[in-house]
Amino acid sequence: MKLHFRRAMGIYLRTFPFVLLRLGIGLALGIASLLYFGAIGWMAYTFVDTGTISGWIAIVGFLVALALFVKAWRLLVRYVLYMVKAGHIAVIAHVIETGEVPPNQVTYGIEQVKANFTEASALFAVDQVV
């Protein structure tokens, strides 16, 4: 068996904008989660401070908000990053087939995912079940 580490690293480095895209999405989602918990914490503090609700109710409300956030967040993050990964794979397949990187590889990846959206979404669902 022959390993193609250099070729794989070359393709990885040539498609580095997708790595940066994933990093940017991760940072944006991290900032969004901080804003969400900041807003929930501020609302709980405000309601407790004004005497509208008790501290226990605020804690229970915060735990419910946390549970809902975690479930929705996991699905959203997995789906978004899965679609980005599908676009990255489309670009990698193009590089392997033609030997060239598309001029605007992120746009090319997005177009490929849009063209095969049903298949990509079905593969995401299968991946989640497995």
Side-chain angles (χ1 to χ4, degrees), residues 64-78 128:
V64 168
L66 176 66
L68 291 173
F69 177 81
V70 167
K71 288 293 184 187
W73 195 252
R74 280 183 151 174
L75 184 63
L76 174 74
V77 169
R78 285 181 181 171
Q128 293 303 301

Side-chain angles (χ1 to χ4, degrees), residues 40-90:
I40 296 297
W42 176 79
M43 285 182 3
Y45 175 76
T46 303
F47 287 141
V48 169
D49 192 42
T50 60
T52 307
I53 59 174
S54 70
W56 288 107
I57 293 174
I59 291 171
V60 169
F62 188 77
L63 292 175
V64 168
L66 176 66
L68 291 173
F69 177 81
V70 167
K71 288 293 184 187
W73 195 252
R74 280 183 151 174
L75 184 63
L76 174 74
V77 169
R78 285 181 181 171
Y79 184 72
V80 168
L81 291 179
Y82 193 88
M83 291 299 149
V84 171
K85 187 189 312 182
H88 193 187
I89 291 169

Side-chain angles (χ1 to χ4, degrees), residues 19-130:
V19 176
L20 295 177
L21 178 63
R22 286 183 64 129
L23 178 66
I25 289 171
L27 289 173
L29 292 173
I31 290 169
S33 65
L34 287 174
L35 292 174
Y36 173 80
F37 284 114
I40 296 297
W42 176 79
M43 285 182 3
Y45 175 76
T46 303
F47 287 141
V48 169
D49 192 42
T50 60
T52 307
I53 59 174
S54 70
W56 288 107
I57 293 174
I59 291 171
V60 169
F62 188 77
L63 292 175
V64 168
L66 176 66
L68 291 173
F69 177 81
V70 167
K71 288 293 184 187
W73 195 252
R74 280 183 151 174
L75 184 63
L76 174 74
V77 169
R78 285 181 181 171
Y79 184 72
V80 168
L81 291 179
Y82 193 88
M83 291 299 149
V84 171
K85 187 189 312 182
H88 193 187
I89 291 169
V91 171
I92 289 171
H94 180 78
V95 170
I96 290 172
E97 288 177 0
T98 64
E100 301 174 354
V101 178
N104 189 350
Q105 57 185 279
V106 174
T107 304
Y108 177 81
I110 290 170
E111 293 301 320
Q112 291 300 313
V113 170
K114 283 182 183 177
N116 300 303
F117 183 75
T118 306
E119 293 87 352
S121 293
L123 286 173
F124 171 75
V126 169
D127 185 53
Q128 293 303 301
V129 170
V130 172

